[in-house]
Amino acid sequence: MKIIKLVTLITLITAISACVFHVGGKGKTANVKLTETLQLDASTLSELVIDVGAGSLTIIGSDTTTITVEANITTDENKSYVLTLEKMGNKAKLIASQDSFGNWYGSSPYTDLTVTLPQNLALDIDDGSGDIRISRLNNSVSVDDGSGSMTISNINGALNIEDGSGSISFNDINGNINLDDGSGGVTIENTNGDINIEDGSGEVTVLNTSGKVTIDDGSGDITIKGAGSLKIIEAGSGGLKVSNITGEMDIDF
């Protein structure tokens, strides 16, 4: 009787080991490439609101009265993406999202966007992941970013930036800068206006600004060369290099 039970158990284990179990359903592949172009008259608008998921975002101010969006879309065979540009009162709203849940073979879906818009429009951006490049605007720029590098240049207006991770570069900004950064190197150069930085980790470099620089830093080297005044609330860990400060300095280690 014991021999029969043992044989039965061995047979059951062999049968189980021969089976392949798939958890989470069938995997998907983002192998469909599409392009779309959207346009909207912006002659009566004051702001562009952008809500996007994964993918790069390039925004360029131009001498135009039209918002133009060029999208390079990588999606699945079901084309499970959303891309809209609509007027909402005195604002325009751009939405780009994809169904990225589930199991993916290779890369998950994403949408790369290039936006050309009037230089006088303000920007309010909520971005998931991917590199961001913004240039040549004459109004304020607000960004809430998850991950990816960020480059902003030639802006006549304030910057209000909240960033999760990724390198940051601001150049030629004529306006105050407020930056709340999680991780990644930060470089700010050639600006007019006050700069307030709350940084988690990563090197911070500020070069040639006429305003007051205030820094609350967790870790990473800090380099300040040329500023109207300087206040360091917390230097954290890392080296500190300071030169050419024309006004008051208040440094707390």
Side-chain angles (χ1 to χ4, degrees):
M1 182 66 69
K2 291 182 179 179
I3 296 176
I4 294 174
K5 289 182 179 179
L6 181 59
V7 172
T8 302
L9 179 59
I10 293 173
T11 303
L12 179 61
I13 293 173
T14 303
I16 292 174
S17 64
C19 296
V20 177
F21 295 93
H22 296 278
V23 179
K26 183 180 178 181
K28 297 177 286 186
T29 303
N31 59 355
V32 177
K33 303 285 187 178
L34 302 170
T35 60
E36 285 196 30
T37 299
L38 306 177
Q39 286 192 321
L40 183 68
D41 178 23
S43 56
T44 62
L45 302 181
S46 61
E47 183 178 30
L48 174 60
V49 178
I50 299 177
D51 188 350
V52 293
S56 65
L57 177 61
T58 300
I59 300 174
I60 305 168
S62 178
D63 184 15
T64 181
T65 58
T66 303
I67 300 171
T68 301
V69 179
E70 297 177 355
N72 292 311
I73 304 161
T74 299
T75 188
D76 63 356
E77 60 184 8
N78 294 322
K79 300 179 182 178
S80 305
Y81 70 91
V82 174
L83 180 66
T84 60
L85 177 63
E86 298 178 343
K87 182 178 179 181
M88 302 176 63
N90 65 342
K91 300 179 181 181
K93 186 166 186 177
L94 169 63
I95 298 176
S97 64
Q98 298 239 29
D99 179 10
S100 59
F101 294 102
N103 299 321
W104 293 92
Y105 296 129
S107 66
S108 56
Y110 60 91
T111 302
D112 292 334
L113 299 170
T114 299
V115 181
T116 305
L117 73 167
Q119 290 181 312
N120 65 312
L121 287 187
L123 276 181
D124 186 352
I125 301 171
D126 188 347
D127 179 71
S129 63
D131 296 345
I132 297 176
R133 296 176 181 85
I134 304 171
S135 63
R136 297 170 54 189
L137 293 176
N138 297 324
N139 211 323
S140 63
V141 176
S142 297
V143 181
D144 187 347
D145 179 51
S147 63
S149 67
M150 186 184 309
T151 302
I152 302 179
S153 61
N154 297 109
I155 305 296
N156 290 310
L159 299 186
N160 293 287
I161 311 296
E162 185 172 346
D163 181 65
S165 63
S167 63
I168 291 175
S169 176
F170 300 152
N171 296 280
D172 300 312
I173 310 298
N174 185 23
N176 293 337
I177 298 173
N178 292 292
L179 171 62
D180 186 347
D181 179 53
S183 63
V186 175
T187 301
I188 301 175
E189 188 172 5
N190 297 330
T191 65
N192 292 306
D194 295 337
I195 299 173
N196 293 284
I197 300 173
E198 184 173 344
D199 181 62
S201 63
E203 183 177 354
V204 175
T205 302
V206 178
L207 306 174
N208 190 26
T209 181
S210 63
K212 180 179 181 179
V213 178
T214 304
I215 297 176
D216 187 349
D217 182 59
S219 64
D221 294 345
I222 298 174
T223 301
I224 312 295
K225 293 183 179 180
S229 61
L230 175 63
K231 181 176 183 179
I232 297 182
I233 299 171
E234 178 64 52
S237 60
L240 176 61
K241 297 179 181 179
V242 176
S243 61
N244 297 329
I245 309 300
T246 59
E248 181 182 1
M249 285 198 297
D250 181 2
I251 299 175
D252 186 7
F253 288 98

